[in-house]
Amino acid sequence: MRIAFFDSGIGGLTVLKRALDALPNEEYLYYADTRNVPYGVKPKDDVRQHIFNAVDFLAQRNIHALVVACNTATSVCISELRARFGFPIVGMEPAVKPAIVRNSGKKILVFATSLTLKESKLETLIDTLDKKRQVERRELDGLVTFAEAFEFDTPLVQEYLLGKLSNIQWSQYETVVLGCTHFILYRDMIQALAGHTVELIDGNEGTVNHLVNTLGRNRPATPAGGGRIDFYSSGVKDGPDRVHRLMALLK
Ligand code: DGL
């Protein structure tokens, strides 16, 4: 089957990586909206338009399913996407539920983009589940821009994270929810700052399980894709240099 993955940029590769483990023989399209990234600091209506443009493009490529590998895009318009397109669409949301289910009393910190934090989807999720008022929220929008420049463990990123996180009393927290797929690329750096007593979780496993279940219902016994991946940046097929860099992140 042909499965499309969509994100504003490279964060969704962290989800695709898991999907390749679970479903190694399908055929994949990975679409990064590099022209419009970052989404998380933009007005909702603009972001919605960018998402629809991207999914319109993917819908013309005979895809059997779409994974919106972006918490921000999911919170902006997942229901509208499902209403408009005929193929199954799997979205993602910050893993607040597993964090609350496992909680033993300390606080939970959700990192997401500013737009995800503003949207009612996350608000409603937290209001419904967070009976003990343990969940706090913070944006780390700067990480999206660093990731798009392929800037990972560098002094500049260290400085940014220290500036954002140094006033947190980590001993009061037991879980950090990485509620943006780009932030997962910085998991080790965040873990080092939070210390080993804080557990970092994300929604990738749940998303891929959901994809597997969704496809399970109408999947041919022998997939023909062989794990092939076509990469696109805002509708333009990626050249060999970028493909090489993206493939390195899937290793
Ligand atoms: N990767 C996206 C997410 O999961 C958002 C990045 C952006 O701000 O564009 O929320």
Side-chain angles (χ1 to χ4, degrees):
M1 294 186 108
R2 188 179 282 178
I3 308 164
F5 274 67
F6 164 67
D7 182 33
S8 59
I10 64 173
L13 291 173
T14 64
V15 193
L16 176 57
K17 190 175 173 177
R18 263 192 182 268
L20 286 164
D21 289 340
L23 301 163
N25 294 315
E26 309 295 336
E27 181 183 347
Y28 293 92
L29 264 72
Y30 186 87
Y31 187 110
D33 194 6
T34 49
R35 202 184 299 141
N36 302 304
V37 68
Y39 283 175
V41 294
K42 299 206 165 112
K44 178 177 180 173
D45 287 344
D46 294 359
V47 171
R48 183 196 285 110
Q49 194 54 57
H50 298 321
I51 296 165
F52 270 90
N53 290 344
V55 181
D56 276 337
F57 175 89
L58 291 168
Q60 288 160 26
R61 276 157 184 79
N62 292 323
I63 58 171
H64 298 101
L66 169 69
V67 177
V68 178
C70 176
N71 297 265
T72 310
T74 302
S75 61
V76 165
C77 59
I78 196 79
S79 315
E80 290 166 75
L81 289 173
R82 289 193 179 119
R84 165 138 163 198
F85 297 98
F87 41 80
I89 301 183
V90 176
M92 5 198 358
E93 64 186 9
V96 171
K97 195 172 178 183
I100 290 179
V101 168
R102 292 178 209 188
N103 185 267
S104 69
K106 289 189 183 181
K107 292 198 273 188
I108 296 163
L109 188 51
V110 178
F111 290 133
T113 66
S114 293
L115 188 51
T116 302
L117 294 181
K118 261 189 257 168
E119 278 306 296
S120 58
K121 200 166 192 299
L122 182 63
E123 198 69 35
T124 312
L125 182 73
I126 294 177
D127 282 353
T128 316
L129 300 172
D130 184 23
K131 301 292 177 221
K132 298 190 200 142
R133 299 272 162 261
Q134 285 161 307
V135 180
E136 292 179 6
R137 302 152 231 212
R138 285 198 187 206
E139 59 82 14
L140 286 177
D141 293 317
L143 289 183
V144 179
T145 309
F146 280 127
E148 291 306 308
F150 289 83
E151 184 151 354
F152 298 110
D153 194 349
T154 66
L156 221 58
V157 179
Q158 278 288 355
E159 199 182 312
Y160 170 79
L161 281 174
L162 272 174
K164 289 295 224 187
L165 309 182
S166 59
N167 61 350
I168 298 175
Q169 298 288 321
W170 288 109
S171 58
Q172 298 176 7
Y173 296 84
E174 64 181 65
T175 314
V176 160
V177 176
L178 299 172
C180 167
T181 51
H182 281 78
F183 299 172
I184 295 167
L185 298 164
Y186 298 91
R187 174 190 292 276
D188 292 349
M189 294 176 83
I190 296 171
Q191 184 78 68
L193 288 169
H196 66 278
T197 56
V198 179
E199 188 184 14
L200 269 56
I201 64 172
D202 62 60
N204 286 7
E205 189 183 347
T207 303
V208 171
N209 287 343
H210 190 181
L211 173 68
V212 171
N213 292 337
T214 304
L215 296 180
R217 290 193 283 276
N218 33 23
R219 198 149 143 251
T222 322
R228 169 205 164 105
I229 313 167
D230 284 332
F231 293 96
Y232 293 89
S233 290
S234 300
V236 179
K237 205 157 196 260
D238 285 324
D241 288 351
R242 182 165 164 92
V243 169
H244 186 74
R245 295 180 103 181
L246 299 178
M247 287 299 289
L249 291 171
L250 291 171
K251 292 270 151 38

